[in-house]
Amino acid sequence: NEPGEWVLNTETRKVYLWPSDPAPNGSPQGILAPSISELIRVEGVIDYDGPEDTPVRGIAFSGLTFSHADRWAWTTDETRLGWGMQHDWDMFDRPTAMLRFRGAEDCRVTNCRFVSSGGTGLRLDLHAQRNRILDCEFAHLGEAGILLAGYGPGTKDANHHNDIVNNYIHHFSEITWHSPGLWAWQSGHNRIVHNELYHSGYSAVLITTRVEPDRSLNGEGGRTVRRHEISAEDKNRPRGGYESWKTRERYNHARHNLFEYNEIAHSVQLLSDGNGIYVSGTGTGYIVRYYYLHDNLAHSLPAAIRCDDDQHETLIYGNVLYNNAGFSAGIASKGVNDIINNFIVDPAAVPRSGYISFEWVPVTDSKVHRNIIVSHPEGGKAHNERLRGKDNGGRPTPRLVETDMDKNLYYHPTNSQWMDEHLLRMRAVGKEKASLVGDPLFVDPAGGDFSFRPGSPALALGIEPLDVSKMGRLDRN
């Protein structure tokens, strides 16, 4: 009803615009209408059902701007069912990105910009090895920033050893709100370091597979499963606990990824149940290390760092979590994962599920060492045992007393007895014997200085000081 406004009639598939700056004849000016979702594809010879591909090698892109592509959308359930990667956050092997590598090795993308577009910035699909994405900007994208997506669960492991370094990824997921900034799906042994991720509609970083060999064809990711490569005894092996995961892990190739020295802020701004970093249903050997996660203020945030269903053998080490809100202002773990030398400082709200939350399943022998938790002024649980439903259906539950927990430092700004009950319970079973209660004496947390002043009890516990100036992009000019 006024200039500058528009409306879409979905039944007639027409857009009506009242232009704010029309031409003399009343027609709109400066209208851009993208017609394709994929601007450039670098593609080798893919032998999809076979064991070997023939990749293209050595293609380099430098100093280019990619912009104004369309969002790829499915039009029928036939093209969607079974092809969606976890929760349809993106689609398997589809032309959703402006620049796409599909069967490529030793390629480079440096100092490029991926901006103002309806879909994703860049994809590395199926066979992708030793490729390097460096010093690029991904901004104002309708969907994801960067997606690495290998072959579905099976024995063909062809997406690995790629470098994603020093990129600025911000204001993504502006059309499809659940799209991540970075996602490694069935992609392993990658090095993803010194990236900065700001302003997302949902999770900033996803590291997932979450597809079991027995998934139905039309189930989420079901058509990506390489059934001819699954052994007979594993085809009907259900998900359920650490031992089952260890048997199925050989089909989940998102393993041994190094995610370190990255920075995440202002995530989960449009949806709920999203996280700064989300790891679920992948292989072994994940390292989430030296992240600075701050100012993620959504009250629906389950955790700044979350190991969700069917996730084990992940190391969460040396991360600074400052001024975050959510169910858990710090870390959530559903499985046997190690949580070591993390700082959870000045949460923006009292977390309903604790600063470190152990959820739904046994977490036996998870290492919880040398962490610092500085509580909200109104307290809250430092550690929480979160059950699934009222009685957990008779299944085993997460029990703090079964973790390997010690040498942690706890501080409440006004209540010196905040941890008394927890420490009494844990010390009765031989845990938390060396843990302390006291002010960590950070130099200036509000100013980003988390080093220790002389006399800090953290030094006596062997806690490593963390320097957030080294986290995020190396050159922010």
Side-chain angles (χ1 to χ4, degrees):
N1 60 11
E2 63 182 44
E5 294 187 344
W6 59 273
V7 65
L8 169 66
N9 185 327
T10 58
E11 292 186 354
T12 63
R13 298 180 63 81
K14 290 184 178 181
V15 177
Y16 297 87
L17 168 70
W18 188 341
S20 57
D21 183 25
N25 66 357
S27 65
Q29 302 184 89
I31 299 298
L32 294 170
S35 59
I36 56 173
S37 61
E38 184 180 75
L39 303 184
I40 296 177
R41 182 193 304 174
V42 177
E43 185 169 35
V45 178
I46 295 294
D47 182 5
Y48 186 84
D49 293 320
E52 299 289 339
D53 304 312
T54 304
V56 65
R57 293 183 174 90
I59 306 297
F61 297 85
S62 181
L64 301 178
T65 294
F66 297 80
S67 190
H68 302 308
D70 202 358
R71 178 179 69 92
W72 185 88
W74 62 77
T75 55
T76 68
D77 276 346
E78 182 180 354
T79 61
R80 179 186 71 86
L81 290 176
W83 294 111
M85 300 185 299
Q86 187 171 349
H87 303 329
D88 288 351
W89 288 334
D90 213 316
M91 302 302 289
F92 177 76
D93 194 24
R94 297 292 190 269
T96 67
M98 288 187 282
L99 176 58
R100 185 180 179 210
F101 294 86
R102 187 178 186 268
E105 294 184 359
D106 301 303
C107 294
R108 301 288 183 269
V109 181
T110 58
N111 292 299
C112 289
R113 300 178 69 237
F114 299 80
V115 296
S116 302
S117 191
T120 291
L122 184 149
R123 288 184 69 136
L124 298 170
D125 276 323
L126 302 181
H127 186 119
Q129 298 173 25
R130 299 182 306 279
N131 301 294
R132 187 171 175 84
I133 315 302
L134 175 67
D135 296 329
C136 295
E137 181 181 14
F138 297 80
H140 296 291
L141 300 175
E143 297 189 325
I146 301 173
L147 171 62
L148 298 88
Y151 286 93
T155 59
K156 189 171 184 178
D157 180 8
N159 196 305
H160 50 74
H161 290 93
N162 301 289
D163 286 353
I164 311 295
V165 180
N166 209 53
N167 300 286
Y168 185 26
I169 306 170
H170 62 98
H171 296 91
F172 47 92
S173 61
E174 292 192 325
I175 296 176
T176 305
W177 291 354
H178 58 232
S179 299
L182 275 169
W183 190 1
W185 186 90
Q186 283 290 87
S187 178
H189 296 271
N190 300 298
R191 180 173 169 265
I192 300 180
V193 300
H194 286 300
N195 300 286
E196 186 175 340
L197 297 101
Y198 271 49
H199 299 287
S200 64
Y202 191 57
S203 297
V205 172
L206 301 177
I207 310 151
T208 78
T209 296
R210 271 280 282 280
V211 183
E212 297 80 36
D214 65 339
R215 184 65 57 86
S216 66
L217 278 177
N218 284 340
E220 142 188 321
R223 295 183 187 272
T224 73
V225 178
R226 301 173 66 80
R227 285 174 167 78
H228 62 290
E229 297 174 353
I230 308 295
S231 68
E233 62 267 28
D234 292 334
K235 284 185 177 179
N236 296 311
R237 191 186 298 274
R239 189 180 77 191
Y242 188 26
E243 295 305 317
S244 173
W245 171 85
K246 285 195 288 188
T247 301
R248 292 177 288 103
E249 189 273 341
R250 64 193 179 109
Y251 303 120
N252 295 339
H253 304 307
R255 63 172 69 88
H256 294 295
N257 283 305
L258 176 61
F259 280 65
E260 67 176 359
Y261 291 108
N262 299 298
E263 181 177 358
I264 294 175
H266 309 297
S267 62
V268 197
Q269 294 191 310
L270 297 173
L271 296 175
S272 63
D273 195 38
N275 310 266
I277 303 170
Y278 178 85
V279 189
S280 184
T282 70
T284 186
Y286 255 101
I287 298 176
V288 177
R289 180 170 67 184
Y290 301 130
Y291 267 79
Y292 185 28
L293 294 106
H294 60 93
D295 300 299
N296 299 288
L297 301 178
H299 290 284
S300 61
L301 186 89
I305 302 174
R306 183 184 185 189
C307 287
D308 200 11
D309 294 335
D310 209 27
Q311 185 58 40
H312 305 277
E313 297 182 4
T314 300
L315 173 61
I316 302 170
Y317 182 94
N319 302 287
V320 176
L321 289 69
Y322 177 76
N323 191 38
N324 299 303
F327 303 156
S328 172
I331 299 166
S333 178
K334 293 182 189 175
V336 181
N337 304 293
D338 293 339
I339 302 168
I340 300 174
N341 211 110
N342 301 282
F343 299 174
I344 302 172
V345 182
D346 294 342
V350 178
R352 289 183 287 169
S353 295
Y355 297 94
I356 298 178
S357 180
F358 300 93
E359 304 183 346
W360 295 8
V361 298
V363 293
T364 307
D365 295 330
S366 295
K367 291 181 175 61
V368 188
H369 291 179
R370 302 193 305 278
N371 300 288
I372 296 177
I373 299 177
V374 178
S375 83
H376 188 275
E378 297 178 15
K381 288 185 177 181
H383 303 282
N384 188 44
E385 300 160 320
R386 183 181 173 206
L387 309 183
R388 181 198 290 266
K390 195 169 185 179
D391 61 2
N392 208 40
R395 290 168 290 205
T397 61
R399 289 169 51 83
L400 294 182
V401 295
E402 294 173 350
T403 64
D404 177 2
M405 188 178 292
D406 205 3
K407 295 185 180 179
N408 299 295
L409 178 60
Y410 304 100
Y411 181 63
H412 189 296
T414 59
N415 183 0
S416 62
Q417 298 178 324
W418 173 52
M419 293 301 297
D420 287 359
E421 182 178 344
H422 167 81
L423 293 175
L424 184 66
R425 176 194 176 193
M426 296 299 288
R427 286 172 177 169
V429 294
K431 311 295 173 69
E432 293 268 53
K433 285 189 172 182
S435 295
L436 298 174
V437 174
D439 189 342
L441 299 176
F442 290 121
V443 171
D444 181 17
D449 189 343
F450 293 88
S451 59
F452 303 127
R453 299 199 300 269
S456 168
L459 299 172
L461 291 170
I463 295 174
E464 175 191 347
L466 301 176
D467 185 353
V468 300
S469 70
K470 297 179 180 178
M471 303 173 189
R473 286 181 297 148
L474 295 174
D475 182 2
R476 306 190 188 208
N477 295 327

